[in-house]
Amino acid sequence: MTTIATTDVLTERGAELRAEGEVNERLGKLSEKSVEIMRQSGVMKLLAPPEYGGTRAHPAEFAEMVMKMASLDGSAGWVAGVVGVHPWELELMSPRLQEEIWGLDNETWVSSPYAPMGVATPVDGGYKFTGHWQFSTGTDHADWVILGAFLADRSGEKIMPPRFLHVVVPRSDYTIVDDSWDVVGLKGTGSKDVIINDVFVPEYRVVDQTDLFSGKVARDAGKTEPIHRLPFYSIFPQGLTAAVVGIAEGALQAHLDYQSSRVQINGFKSVEDPYTMYAVSEAAGEIRASRVSLLDNINRLYDTVAAGKEISMEQRAVGRRTQIQAAWRATAAIDTILARSGGNGLRMNNPIQRFWRDAHMGTAHAIHVPGPSYHAAVLTELGLEPPVNLAAAV
């Protein structure tokens, strides 16, 4: 389902993007060439509003795009999967905010994270905002950021039970901590820390997380398109999981390229080793199954809302389980592949090991923690309502 423009770009420049993988890792952020190719591909505009050059595409199309990009370079795919989803949320927010972000340059990127690592204290006309966030993916190439926050009362004390906000802030109001991204995988994503100290944020740049997750924000904005009737936890994790699956596809291709001419220490060609070929073929099937299940899941959810129906708690919970399982299944398949790559598969100039590290970093993301979502899914299948702490994960 990928667009013609993106297919053409990644066909023509895919080898360049693949070659930048090692460069991105060394830089600790995406190279300028990687960003250029990503912008040219249009991946960041797939879920953006048409008023600002977007296509408001089907989320399955977006997932396929992210998978393709991640199969070339895991970090580029991960940034696309994270940053590329943010226009979906921003289209639900104030038109004034959208104009500020995209009015002069509709290529502007907006990073995150959503974790509530800051505090927003109400003041006249908005909020006083302070915090320190980790994991701001792609932040070096973004001019705005969406940040999670605890809501405080006017005295600065956090409201209990907690209420969470998403707060949108321009680059001039936050500091990027340059030496804060030293990790084992997805090194090229540049997912650095950002810091804000007592910045004023006008009210129109803030949205209540509960209202966003419940669909109230979309309804209040008059957004009736199927994609805006999808729950937040159906659409946002999609990009991250697609990146992990794409990384697995990249690992598989790198392994096949390597094995095609590899001679093992016993003098036999790898392609003549039935045990290795069996294991790798089984891993390939698992990666394929991860792709199919992920796309089938989002297609089913999209078709439900497109038909004018509401997505049930069971559909949401089972959908989250499907996403998480796809990421873990694909990553386990890479483990199988790496174990059949021999010592040379672990050399730093062999991309197999980089895909392996990237995938494991991807499954470490909070969105891929299986416990709460799996628990919620099986409770709904038993006809039970999951408790609040589990329902919050779906």
Side-chain angles (χ1 to χ4, degrees):
M1 297 181 65
T2 52
T3 62
I4 293 174
T6 303
T7 300
D8 286 348
V9 169
L10 295 186
T11 297
E12 295 170 4
R13 305 195 67 183
E16 292 180 72
L17 185 60
R18 184 184 293 110
E20 288 300 291
E22 188 174 347
V23 177
N24 295 336
E25 181 160 80
R26 186 171 62 252
L27 292 173
K29 62 180 181 180
L30 295 180
S31 68
E32 292 302 325
K33 179 179 283 189
S34 294
V35 173
E36 175 197 345
I37 295 170
M38 293 170 72
R39 290 189 190 281
Q40 187 180 355
S41 76
V43 64
M44 297 304 201
K45 291 186 175 182
L46 281 177
L47 300 185
E51 296 86 344
Y52 294 102
T55 56
R56 202 186 281 142
H58 194 295
E61 182 177 346
F62 175 70
E64 288 190 286
M65 192 81 70
V66 170
M67 284 188 273
K68 176 60 178 176
M69 195 157 283
S71 74
L72 299 169
D73 173 44
S75 288
W78 185 267
V79 172
V82 176
V83 177
V85 175
H86 295 151
W88 171 86
E89 176 179 350
L90 291 167
E91 188 178 354
L92 305 179
M93 296 181 68
S94 165
R96 180 178 175 183
L97 173 60
Q98 295 174 49
E99 182 63 20
E100 284 181 338
I101 295 173
W102 294 311
L104 294 178
D105 182 4
N106 63 20
E107 296 284 354
T108 298
W109 291 7
V110 182
S111 61
S112 46
Y114 293 113
M117 298 178 181
V119 177
T121 302
V123 295
D124 291 346
Y127 301 86
K128 183 177 68 175
F129 194 35
T130 296
H132 184 154
W133 293 260
Q134 297 176 312
F135 307 113
S136 184
T137 292
T139 195
D140 288 291
H141 302 285
D143 293 310
W144 290 74
V145 64
I146 307 173
L147 297 169
F150 286 96
L151 176 63
D153 59 25
R154 284 189 171 261
S155 70
E157 293 295 319
K158 295 177 184 176
I159 291 176
M160 298 302 290
R163 285 183 59 192
F164 303 113
L165 306 175
H166 290 185
V167 183
V168 187
V169 182
R171 178 69 185 86
S172 58
D173 286 348
Y174 60 91
T175 300
I176 298 172
V177 183
D178 282 328
D179 61 352
S180 57
W181 187 238
D182 185 15
V183 288
V184 70
L186 294 175
K187 299 177 78 169
T189 64
S191 301
K192 300 173 182 176
D193 293 15
V194 297
I195 298 174
I196 288 179
N197 288 312
D198 286 339
V199 165
F200 172 73
V201 181
E203 190 171 5
Y204 69 87
R205 294 183 188 161
V206 179
V207 66
D208 184 280
Q209 181 174 282
T210 299
D211 290 346
L212 177 67
F213 286 9
S214 71
K216 183 178 184 299
V217 172
R219 292 191 296 272
D220 289 349
K223 298 295 183 180
T224 58
E225 299 87 354
I227 195 168
H228 290 134
R229 296 183 59 221
L230 288 169
F232 179 88
Y233 270 119
S234 297
I235 187 73
F236 175 67
Q238 180 80 10
L240 285 74
T241 306
V244 174
V245 174
I247 288 167
E249 292 176 330
L252 175 62
Q253 187 58 57
H255 178 82
L256 295 176
D257 293 343
Y258 169 60
Q259 289 283 31
S260 63
S261 59
R262 179 183 171 221
V263 177
Q264 299 176 357
I265 196 169
N266 58 12
F268 287 95
K269 295 180 180 179
S270 290
V271 295
E272 297 172 342
D273 179 354
Y275 308 106
T276 295
M277 292 297 100
Y278 177 92
V280 173
S281 185
E282 186 174 49
E286 288 293 283
I287 294 169
R288 178 64 182 174
S290 298
R291 163 184 275 267
V292 170
S293 65
L294 184 65
L295 294 176
D296 175 73
N297 179 64
I298 196 63
N299 278 317
R300 286 175 180 271
L301 294 172
Y302 188 92
D303 289 348
T304 297
V305 295
K309 301 176 183 177
E310 295 296 322
I311 295 176
S312 67
M313 175 59 75
E314 180 177 350
Q315 288 174 305
R316 286 168 52 186
V318 171
R320 283 290 294 123
R321 183 178 65 195
T322 299
Q323 291 171 336
I324 295 168
Q325 193 169 38
W328 282 82
R329 172 190 283 166
T331 301
I334 301 178
D335 290 343
T336 297
I337 289 169
L338 190 75
R340 273 74 182 182
S341 295
N344 286 323
L346 288 168
R347 291 188 183 275
M348 296 305 288
N349 63 357
N350 190 324
I352 297 171
Q353 53 75 32
R354 187 174 68 248
F355 283 120
W356 175 69
R357 289 185 287 109
D358 287 350
H360 279 277
M361 192 71 185
T363 54
H365 191 283
I367 215 73
H368 288 138
V369 174
S373 296
Y374 282 24
H375 191 174
V378 75
L379 288 178
T380 63
E381 290 174 318
L382 289 169
L384 303 174
E385 188 75 17
V388 173
N389 64 318
L390 297 182
V394 299

